[in-house]
PDB file of all heavy atoms in Angstrom:
ATOM      1  N   VAL A1436     112.803 118.694  84.816  1.00  0.00           N
ATOM      2  CA  VAL A1436     114.039 118.228  85.410  1.00  0.00           C
ATOM      3  C   VAL A1436     115.237 119.130  85.147  1.00  0.00           C
ATOM      4  O   VAL A1436     116.023 119.390  86.049  1.00  0.00           O
ATOM      5  CB  VAL A1436     114.328 116.769  85.009  1.00  0.00           C
ATOM      6  CG1 VAL A1436     114.757 116.670  83.551  1.00  0.00           C
ATOM      7  CG2 VAL A1436     115.395 116.179  85.907  1.00  0.00           C
ATOM      8  N   PHE A1440     117.041 120.587  88.502  1.00  0.00           N
ATOM      9  CA  PHE A1440     118.361 120.186  88.922  1.00  0.00           C
ATOM     10  C   PHE A1440     119.404 121.268  88.644  1.00  0.00           C
ATOM     11  O   PHE A1440     120.453 121.269  89.251  1.00  0.00           O
ATOM     12  CB  PHE A1440     118.720 118.827  88.337  1.00  0.00           C
ATOM     13  CG  PHE A1440     117.900 117.746  88.973  1.00  0.00           C
ATOM     14  CD1 PHE A1440     117.066 116.946  88.230  1.00  0.00           C
ATOM     15  CD2 PHE A1440     117.926 117.579  90.355  1.00  0.00           C
ATOM     16  CE1 PHE A1440     116.296 115.971  88.839  1.00  0.00           C
ATOM     17  CE2 PHE A1440     117.152 116.608  90.972  1.00  0.00           C
ATOM     18  CZ  PHE A1440     116.338 115.802  90.206  1.00  0.00           C
ATOM     19  N   ARG A1558     116.733 104.404  95.514  1.00  0.00           N
ATOM     20  CA  ARG A1558     116.819 104.806  94.104  1.00  0.00           C
ATOM     21  C   ARG A1558     116.194 106.180  93.893  1.00  0.00           C
ATOM     22  O   ARG A1558     116.748 107.057  93.236  1.00  0.00           O
ATOM     23  CB  ARG A1558     116.095 103.756  93.258  1.00  0.00           C
ATOM     24  CG  ARG A1558     116.258 103.930  91.766  1.00  0.00           C
ATOM     25  CD  ARG A1558     115.604 102.780  91.010  1.00  0.00           C
ATOM     26  NE  ARG A1558     114.160 102.759  91.140  1.00  0.00           N
ATOM     27  CZ  ARG A1558     113.461 101.703  91.542  1.00  0.00           C
ATOM     28  NH1 ARG A1558     114.061 100.580  91.890  1.00  0.00           N
ATOM     29  NH2 ARG A1558     112.142 101.784  91.621  1.00  0.00           N
ATOM     30  N   GLU A1559     115.026 106.376  94.516  1.00  0.00           N
ATOM     31  CA  GLU A1559     114.329 107.653  94.299  1.00  0.00           C
ATOM     32  C   GLU A1559     114.999 108.806  95.046  1.00  0.00           C
ATOM     33  O   GLU A1559     114.891 109.961  94.635  1.00  0.00           O
ATOM     34  CB  GLU A1559     112.846 107.488  94.648  1.00  0.00           C
ATOM     35  CG  GLU A1559     112.172 106.485  93.709  1.00  0.00           C
ATOM     36  CD  GLU A1559     110.659 106.437  93.817  1.00  0.00           C
ATOM     37  OE1 GLU A1559     110.081 107.211  94.603  1.00  0.00           O
ATOM     38  OE2 GLU A1559     110.056 105.603  93.100  1.00  0.00           O
ATOM     39  N   ARG A1561     118.299 109.036  95.314  1.00  0.00           N
ATOM     40  CA  ARG A1561     119.395 109.374  94.374  1.00  0.00           C
ATOM     41  C   ARG A1561     118.864 110.133  93.171  1.00  0.00           C
ATOM     42  O   ARG A1561     119.452 111.114  92.733  1.00  0.00           O
ATOM     43  CB  ARG A1561     120.059 108.089  93.881  1.00  0.00           C
ATOM     44  CG  ARG A1561     121.317 107.733  94.597  1.00  0.00           C
ATOM     45  CD  ARG A1561     122.019 106.592  93.906  1.00  0.00           C
ATOM     46  NE  ARG A1561     123.006 107.072  92.957  1.00  0.00           N
ATOM     47  CZ  ARG A1561     124.224 107.488  93.288  1.00  0.00           C
ATOM     48  NH1 ARG A1561     124.617 107.477  94.539  1.00  0.00           N
ATOM     49  NH2 ARG A1561     125.063 107.917  92.363  1.00  0.00           N
ATOM     50  N   ASP A1562     117.727 109.645  92.642  1.00  0.00           N
ATOM     51  CA  ASP A1562     117.145 110.317  91.485  1.00  0.00           C
ATOM     52  C   ASP A1562     116.924 111.803  91.784  1.00  0.00           C
ATOM     53  O   ASP A1562     117.014 112.646  90.906  1.00  0.00           O
ATOM     54  CB  ASP A1562     115.791 109.683  91.116  1.00  0.00           C
ATOM     55  CG  ASP A1562     115.953 108.305  90.483  1.00  0.00           C
ATOM     56  OD1 ASP A1562     117.094 107.931  90.142  1.00  0.00           O
ATOM     57  OD2 ASP A1562     114.937 107.605  90.345  1.00  0.00           O
ATOM     58  N   GLN A1563     116.582 112.093  93.037  1.00  0.00           N
ATOM     59  CA  GLN A1563     116.284 113.473  93.408  1.00  0.00           C
ATOM     60  C   GLN A1563     117.495 114.169  94.024  1.00  0.00           C
ATOM     61  O   GLN A1563     117.355 115.190  94.693  1.00  0.00           O
ATOM     62  CB  GLN A1563     115.078 113.497  94.351  1.00  0.00           C
ATOM     63  CG  GLN A1563     113.847 112.901  93.674  1.00  0.00           C
ATOM     64  CD  GLN A1563     112.602 112.964  94.529  1.00  0.00           C
ATOM     65  OE1 GLN A1563     112.349 113.956  95.198  1.00  0.00           O
ATOM     66  NE2 GLN A1563     111.819 111.906  94.497  1.00  0.00           N
ATOM     67  N   GLN A1564     118.650 113.582  93.839  1.00  0.00           N
ATOM     68  CA  GLN A1564     119.920 114.161  94.289  1.00  0.00           C
ATOM     69  C   GLN A1564     120.024 114.337  95.797  1.00  0.00           C
ATOM     70  O   GLN A1564     120.574 115.331  96.287  1.00  0.00           O
ATOM     71  CB  GLN A1564     120.206 115.480  93.586  1.00  0.00           C
ATOM     72  CG  GLN A1564     120.643 115.260  92.150  1.00  0.00           C
ATOM     73  CD  GLN A1564     121.199 116.504  91.535  1.00  0.00           C
ATOM     74  OE1 GLN A1564     120.537 117.547  91.546  1.00  0.00           O
ATOM     75  NE2 GLN A1564     122.398 116.442  90.982  1.00  0.00           N
ATOM     76  N   GLN A1609     121.772 101.327  97.066  1.00  0.00           N
ATOM     77  CA  GLN A1609     121.642 102.340  96.014  1.00  0.00           C
ATOM     78  C   GLN A1609     122.645 103.479  96.179  1.00  0.00           C
ATOM     79  O   GLN A1609     122.507 104.541  95.585  1.00  0.00           O
ATOM     80  CB  GLN A1609     120.213 102.911  96.019  1.00  0.00           C
ATOM     81  CG  GLN A1609     119.142 101.859  95.773  1.00  0.00           C
ATOM     82  CD  GLN A1609     119.335 101.148  94.450  1.00  0.00           C
ATOM     83  OE1 GLN A1609     119.306 101.780  93.396  1.00  0.00           O
ATOM     84  NE2 GLN A1609     119.560  99.843  94.489  1.00  0.00           N
ATOM     85  N   LEU A1764     123.313 112.085  90.403  1.00  0.00           N
ATOM     86  CA  LEU A1764     123.337 113.103  89.347  1.00  0.00           C
ATOM     87  C   LEU A1764     121.974 113.733  89.087  1.00  0.00           C
ATOM     88  O   LEU A1764     121.886 114.787  88.487  1.00  0.00           O
ATOM     89  CB  LEU A1764     123.868 112.480  88.058  1.00  0.00           C
ATOM     90  CG  LEU A1764     125.312 111.989  88.179  1.00  0.00           C
ATOM     91  CD1 LEU A1764     125.755 111.291  86.909  1.00  0.00           C
ATOM     92  CD2 LEU A1764     126.253 113.154  88.496  1.00  0.00           C
ATOM     93  N   GLY A1765     120.911 113.089  89.509  1.00  0.00           N
ATOM     94  CA  GLY A1765     119.584 113.654  89.260  1.00  0.00           C
ATOM     95  C   GLY A1765     118.966 113.077  88.012  1.00  0.00           C
ATOM     96  O   GLY A1765     119.570 113.080  86.935  1.00  0.00           O
ATOM     97  N   ARG A1766     117.762 112.535  88.185  1.00  0.00           N
ATOM     98  CA  ARG A1766     117.053 111.847  87.096  1.00  0.00           C
ATOM     99  C   ARG A1766     115.581 111.941  87.413  1.00  0.00           C
ATOM    100  O   ARG A1766     115.208 112.094  88.566  1.00  0.00           O
ATOM    101  CB  ARG A1766     117.368 110.346  87.198  1.00  0.00           C
ATOM    102  CG  ARG A1766     118.341 109.833  86.252  1.00  0.00           C
ATOM    103  CD  ARG A1766     118.424 108.333  86.248  1.00  0.00           C
ATOM    104  NE  ARG A1766     117.988 107.627  87.443  1.00  0.00           N
ATOM    105  CZ  ARG A1766     118.307 106.368  87.684  1.00  0.00           C
ATOM    106  NH1 ARG A1766     119.039 105.693  86.841  1.00  0.00           N
ATOM    107  NH2 ARG A1766     117.870 105.780  88.769  1.00  0.00           N
ATOM    108  N   VAL A1767     114.760 111.774  86.404  1.00  0.00           N
ATOM    109  CA  VAL A1767     113.320 111.717  86.670  1.00  0.00           C
ATOM    110  C   VAL A1767     113.008 110.362  87.282  1.00  0.00           C
ATOM    111  O   VAL A1767     113.446 109.327  86.783  1.00  0.00           O
ATOM    112  CB  VAL A1767     112.531 111.908  85.364  1.00  0.00           C
ATOM    113  CG1 VAL A1767     111.038 111.805  85.642  1.00  0.00           C
ATOM    114  CG2 VAL A1767     112.864 113.252  84.756  1.00  0.00           C
ATOM    115  N   VAL A1768     112.273 110.370  88.374  1.00  0.00           N
ATOM    116  CA  VAL A1768     111.854 109.126  89.028  1.00  0.00           C
ATOM    117  C   VAL A1768     110.974 108.327  88.067  1.00  0.00           C
ATOM    118  O   VAL A1768     110.128 108.895  87.375  1.00  0.00           O
ATOM    119  CB  VAL A1768     111.070 109.474  90.318  1.00  0.00           C
ATOM    120  CG1 VAL A1768     110.301 108.283  90.849  1.00  0.00           C
ATOM    121  CG2 VAL A1768     112.023 110.027  91.370  1.00  0.00           C
ATOM    122  N   ASP A1769     111.188 107.011  88.032  1.00  0.00           N
ATOM    123  CA  ASP A1769     110.352 106.154  87.192  1.00  0.00           C
ATOM    124  C   ASP A1769     109.108 105.750  88.000  1.00  0.00           C
ATOM    125  O   ASP A1769     109.182 104.890  88.880  1.00  0.00           O
ATOM    126  CB  ASP A1769     111.155 104.912  86.787  1.00  0.00           C
ATOM    127  CG  ASP A1769     110.342 103.955  85.923  1.00  0.00           C
ATOM    128  OD1 ASP A1769     109.108 104.102  85.864  1.00  0.00           O
ATOM    129  OD2 ASP A1769     110.949 103.057  85.323  1.00  0.00           O
ATOM    130  N   ARG A1772     108.001 101.872  87.788  1.00  0.00           N
ATOM    131  CA  ARG A1772     108.820 100.913  88.525  1.00  0.00           C
ATOM    132  C   ARG A1772     108.459 100.956  90.021  1.00  0.00           C
ATOM    133  O   ARG A1772     108.286  99.925  90.668  1.00  0.00           O
ATOM    134  CB  ARG A1772     110.289 101.282  88.319  1.00  0.00           C
ATOM    135  CG  ARG A1772     111.189 100.108  88.431  1.00  0.00           C
ATOM    136  CD  ARG A1772     112.580 100.479  87.971  1.00  0.00           C
ATOM    137  NE  ARG A1772     113.513  99.561  88.611  1.00  0.00           N
ATOM    138  CZ  ARG A1772     114.812  99.770  88.730  1.00  0.00           C
ATOM    139  NH1 ARG A1772     115.332 100.876  88.249  1.00  0.00           N
ATOM    140  NH2 ARG A1772     115.583  98.896  89.319  1.00  0.00           N
TER     141      ARG A1772
END
Side-chain angles (χ1 to χ4, degrees):
V1436 72
F1440 290 120
R1558 188 175 67 233
E1559 296 190 2
R1561 261 189 93 80
D1562 288 349
Q1563 300 183 41
Q1564 286 192 306
Q1609 300 302 299
L1764 297 176
R1766 257 190 337 197
V1767 178
V1768 165
D1769 179 346
R1772 208 170 156 198

